[in-house]
Amino acid sequence: RGTVTPKDFQSSLVLMTFCFHHAATSCSKSCYCSESDSGGKTVRCSNLQLTEIPQDFPNDTRRIYLDFNLFTTVPTNAFAGLPHLVELDLSHNELSQLEQGAFRGLGSSLQFLDLSSNKLVNFNSEAFEGLQARANLTNNPWHCDCSLQMALPHVDLEPASLKGIVCQTSDPEEIGVQGLSFLLAPDIDLCVVMKRTTDVAMLVVMFGWFTMVISYLVYYVRANQEDARRHLEYLKSLPSKPMQPSPDE
Ligand SMILES: *[C@@H]1O[C@H](CO)[C@@H](O)[C@H](O)[C@H]1NC(C)=O
Ligand SMILES: *[C@@H]1O[C@H](CO)[C@@H](O)[C@H](O)[C@H]1NC(C)=O
């Protein structure tokens, strides 16, 4: 018969819920997805006023466009579980901070990382651990100092990427690296002032020790002189022994 029993209705409802649920999780809910001809998904979340990086990207995503949003930070493991991610665009955001391990898990797959046109000031090499991608680091207010200089040799990013670090401010300020790409600025040593400071500190400490040793020597000699003088006076004050034999004997 053609009547719909409550049981049928219930099971179709369950089926419908399952279908919607599946559709929602098969791609990120706030973004647009497309399947490329070569396989793998492209997720577009550009210009959506997003303040937090979505956490629901499909695990076979190859490209993610997150440009022109309002992100201020990339948290640790923000893109974990995306072993096929090749390209990640985070340009034109408000990023001032990249947490340690922000791109963890992308080391073997990611080829292009766009961080240009953000608010990055300090270079945190721990954010880029294991990443060998080509990165666009231009258009950020980079602060170049000794810690940046020390960090760069330990970064695995494609070396040419680091040319994008154009210093807006620097420490020491007067070294003249502002407006230059730090990697291309010849003969600039941002750690030299620190070395000089430690040298001066060392000199002061050595001088201190030297002064103490000299003072002690002077004190020692003086004290001994005093002792010797007192000893002499003591000897002088002793009753003098009669040296000549008595005339009675
Ligand atoms: C994605 O996750 C599903 C299960 O959630 C799994 O079956 C599949 O193999 C994963 N695909 C990739 C490319 O890791
Ligand atoms: C890096 O980004 C800037 C601005 O976002 C763009 O003009 C430039 O072409 C990019 N460079 C590369 C190598 O893609």
Side-chain angles (χ1 to χ4, degrees):
R1 284 174 290 172
T3 53
V4 177
T5 64
K7 195 155 182 157
D8 287 341
F9 182 69
Q10 205 178 8
S11 60
S12 66
L13 202 68
V14 166
L15 196 68
M16 252 164 66
T17 321
F18 178 76
C19 281
F20 276 125
H21 183 70
H22 187 73
T25 51
S26 71
C27 197
S28 175
K29 67 175 182 295
S30 41
C31 308
Y32 307 99
C33 300
S34 56
E35 200 97 21
S36 74
D37 306 335
S38 50
K41 289 192 177 69
T42 296
V43 184
R44 294 181 189 277
C45 322
S46 308
N47 208 352
L48 292 174
Q49 313 269 319
L50 300 178
T51 53
E52 268 171 41
I53 293 172
Q55 288 297 299
D56 56 352
F57 300 116
N59 62 359
D60 59 346
T61 302
R62 285 187 180 247
R63 296 188 163 76
I64 300 180
Y65 298 97
L66 288 161
D67 49 323
F68 292 96
N69 280 293
L70 303 168
F71 308 125
T72 54
T73 180
V74 178
T76 306
N77 287 325
F79 302 97
L82 301 172
H84 304 288
L85 195 65
V86 171
E87 183 177 350
L88 177 58
D89 187 351
L90 283 162
S91 67
H92 299 274
N93 275 285
E94 308 283 320
L95 295 177
S96 58
Q97 203 182 356
L98 308 172
E99 300 276 353
Q100 175 181 2
F103 306 108
R104 194 172 287 157
L106 304 179
S108 54
S109 64
L110 198 69
Q111 285 170 23
F112 189 69
L113 172 65
D114 199 342
L115 289 168
S116 65
S117 302
N118 275 290
K119 303 240 158 72
L120 297 171
V121 175
N122 295 307
F123 187 86
N124 178 11
S125 62
E126 291 174 333
F128 299 97
E129 59 182 25
L131 218 56
Q132 292 164 11
R134 181 153 53 97
N136 191 341
L137 300 171
T138 60
N139 272 326
N140 280 286
W142 292 111
H143 177 72
C144 296
D145 60 2
C146 186
S147 69
L148 172 89
Q149 181 174 321
M150 305 280 272
L152 292 191
H154 305 290
V155 177
D156 294 328
L157 291 173
E158 191 192 275
S161 309
L162 302 178
K163 288 181 192 160
I165 301 178
V166 174
C167 311
Q168 189 170 97
T169 55
S170 72
D171 179 23
E173 220 172 307
E174 67 284 355
I175 206 155
V177 77
Q178 284 100 327
L180 300 179
S181 163
F182 176 68
L183 218 61
L184 300 178
D187 303 328
I188 295 238
D189 187 352
L190 294 170
C191 296
V192 74
V193 175
M194 206 157 115
K195 278 177 210 148
R196 213 176 282 154
T197 319
T198 35
D199 282 356
V200 168
M202 194 73 122
L203 215 65
V204 168
V205 168
M206 276 169 64
F207 185 76
W209 275 108
F210 190 67
T211 314
M212 268 169 66
V213 168
I214 295 290
S215 328
Y216 181 72
L217 277 178
V218 167
Y219 166 79
Y220 184 79
V221 168
R222 286 248 180 93
N224 272 0
Q225 272 177 350
E226 186 76 7
D227 266 2
R229 197 176 54 76
R230 255 195 253 126
H231 191 66
L232 214 65
E233 264 166 25
Y234 168 75
L235 286 181
K236 274 191 198 150
S237 71
L238 288 177
S240 47
K241 246 196 200 156
M243 295 306 275
Q244 63 273 53
S246 88
D248 303 342
E249 277 185 79

